[in-house]
Amino acid sequence: MEPGDAARLGPGRAARALPPRLLLLPLLPLLLGRGLRAAASASSSGAAAEDSSAMEELATEKEAEESHRQDSVSLLTFILLLTLTILTIWLFKHRRVRFLHETGLAMIYGLIVGVILRYGTPATSGHDKSLSCTQEDRAFSTLLVNVSGKFFEYTLKGEISPGKINSVEQNDMLRKVTFDPEVFFNILLPPIIFHAGYSLKKRHFFRNLGSILAYAFLGTAVSCFIIGNLMYGVVKLMKIVGQLSDKFYYTDCLFFGAIISATDPVTVLAIFNELHADVDLYALLFGESVLNDAVAIVLSSSIVAYQPAGLNTHAFDAAAFFKSVGIFLGIFSGSFTMGAVTGVVTALVTKFTKLHCFPLLETALFFLMSWSTFLLAEACGFTGVVAVLFCGITQAHYTYNNLSVESRSRTKQLFEVLHFLAENFIFSYMGLALFTFQKHVFSPIFIIGAFVAIFLGRAAHIYPLSFFLNLGRRHKIGWNFQHMMMFSGLRGAMAFALAIRDTASYARQMMFTTTLLIVFFTVWIIGGGTTPMLSWLNIRVGVDPDQDLPPNNDSFQVLQGDGPDSARGNRTKQESAWLFRLWYSFDHNYLKPILTHTGPPLTTTLPAWCGLLARCLTSPQVYDNQEPLREEDSDFILTEGDLTLTYGDSTVTANGSSGSHSASASLEGSRRTKSSSEEVLDRALGIGDQPVLSRGTRLVFPLENA
């Protein structure tokens, strides 16, 4: 169509005859206007979305920065608590104040800070809102929440009872100072338990080994069941008077009996050590508390594992009971084996390598191997407390002899400092937790019943066991010792750590609150009364740790001669546990030469056909030295003929007591008579013509290089 044709067709027909692209021309301004407005609207909405996203990111960064600041403040709070505790300890030691121990001080400072945090800091978080998930029948450990297309991750903190749904903690600072219970088990407990085994005074420990095992195993079991049954009666009473608002089963009572049976007489032992109280009493209390913690944690795990068949899962079932006993034995033996094996591996590594040339590397390896024992046991389903305890004992017995002089000093000081800081941190947190913990259940009937139950449980295992043990002991456990052991049944870090590990249910929350109050009372009241109790019970103090009481009224230890006449003489040999006497010969002749640089050469103790193996395993240092290397733990308690010492070409058999640098003398009236063995020993030690000094009722030989 030509352009002139449109005019001839008329307006309407011309419009219908125009091509479509020409028809859009009049609408172009309208379409462009709408498009521009749509583009502008889209761009403005995009800009608004970007601005909103930027604001959210900025708010998130501010929250993260605030959370980091609160974390720093919470850690600084505990560091200041420890610093204040240390300064106050120095003041108390300087002034010789003994009515309050350092752990009691830490708890007091923790209480003060807890009050300040609870009532002196305002609520800072008011954004919590409860959401209902009625379709789910269980709680999830991790939850992803979709909020306006953005996903947020939440972790499970624990169950909250319906009555406390509106009183959830709104203070972020108080939330920060509430630690995960796993922090206590995986970080704070290992150095405390390891130090107990590593610093064990083996001489007096093994002298009383049988009694310690009886108190730790039988005594803890007896105490657990007595406390558990008494508390079950208390729970029934609470139900009758209407003071029980939720379920509380018999197994819960037994669990409480297990965790509260873990004694921690740290206050008493510190005073004993400062006053140099009787070494046997110290060994009994320390040995019981060390093994008692291990038994308590395994016993509590076995009670938790008690699952009877049938509908009533809390009724008594013989099969489930024996299964729990089997679990107890399996966990304890497995943990013991794992700790001992780790110690043996560390001893072999330090013996057959040149790590002693690099003390820093040696100390670092020792530290990591010791700490990994705890985590390895927990990862394998055993109990890390038992494993790290026996790892410490094994490390002290074998690995310590292979370390360089610098590493010996470093490891001792390192674990001593870690033990001090971790223990005081836990006690500070106890004081803090009384006001910052949100799940307290205070029940006066349960608390009073618990105090009565632990008193009766302690008495029921100290006095009867002491009676039966005295039937076979040469050194009897006197009534004053028994009363002091009864008085020294403090509760501490282990009971608190076991109680706080699970506070999900009503019963566990009540146990935790009661345990906290029991720890407060025993540390403050009983710990503060230790010094007056020692005086009232006439327990001797200022005792030389190397001094030993004979089993009779004779005041001197006797070094017997080699002849039959002297063997029939007045024997006042030191007491040694029969179990240790059976073990010592095997350990001295075989294990020590294999794992350390000490002991007799294996070529003299192993059969001839093992000659090649004996030469490979025996340290060259044993062959290089004409005299055997001095063992750090050679002050074990022995009986006649248990130990033969070789000095050059002379062999001396020590009957009675034997130590690295000490020997005892026999008296005939007021005149000292030397046997041939004593003369040989004097010549070997170079004290032949030196005067003999008398210290109290014990003869002491002055030694060169002592």
Side-chain angles (χ1 to χ4, degrees), residues 559-560 562 627 643-647 650-655 657-665 672 674-689 701-703:
L559 179 65
Q560 301 292 344
D562 297 330
E627 296 182 2
L643 179 61
T644 299
L645 300 178
T646 302
Y647 294 90
S650 304
T651 301
V652 182
T653 300
N655 297 323
S657 66
S658 179
S660 300
H661 295 295
S662 64
S664 300
R672 181 176 181 271
K674 282 189 177 182
S675 65
S676 59
S677 297
E678 291 174 286
E679 293 173 356
V680 173
L681 184 59
D682 287 349
R683 288 196 302 271
L685 297 177
I687 60 172
D689 298 328
F701 297 97
L703 300 176

Side-chain angles (χ1 to χ4, degrees), residues 461-475:
H461 97 256
I462 290 295
Y463 295 114
L465 278 180
S466 300
F467 171 78
F468 289 109
L469 289 172
N470 281 336
L471 298 179
R473 284 178 60 98
R474 294 181 179 88
H475 292 164

Side-chain angles (χ1 to χ4, degrees), residues 213-228:
L213 291 177
Y215 286 128
F217 284 87
L218 291 178
T220 305
V222 169
S223 176
C224 169
F225 283 99
I226 289 179
I227 294 175

Side-chain angles (χ1 to χ4, degrees), residues 347 350-351 356 362 398-404 595-597:
T350 53
K351 177 183 177 180
H356 64 273
E362 190 178 37
Y398 298 114
T399 311
Y400 185 82
N401 296 317
N402 301 334
L403 301 178
S404 61
L595 300 177
T596 69
H597 299 299

Side-chain angles (χ1 to χ4, degrees), residues 259-277:
I259 64 174
I260 208 64
S261 295
T263 59
D264 186 17
V266 57
T267 304
V268 176
L269 292 177
I271 295 175
F272 279 13
N273 191 44
E274 184 178 353
L275 298 178
H276 299 288

Side-chain angles (χ1 to χ4, degrees), residues 344-358:
V344 167
V345 170
T346 310
L348 291 174
V349 170
T350 53
K351 177 183 177 180
F352 291 105
T353 61
K354 298 294 184 179
L355 275 174
H356 64 273
C357 299
F358 307 95

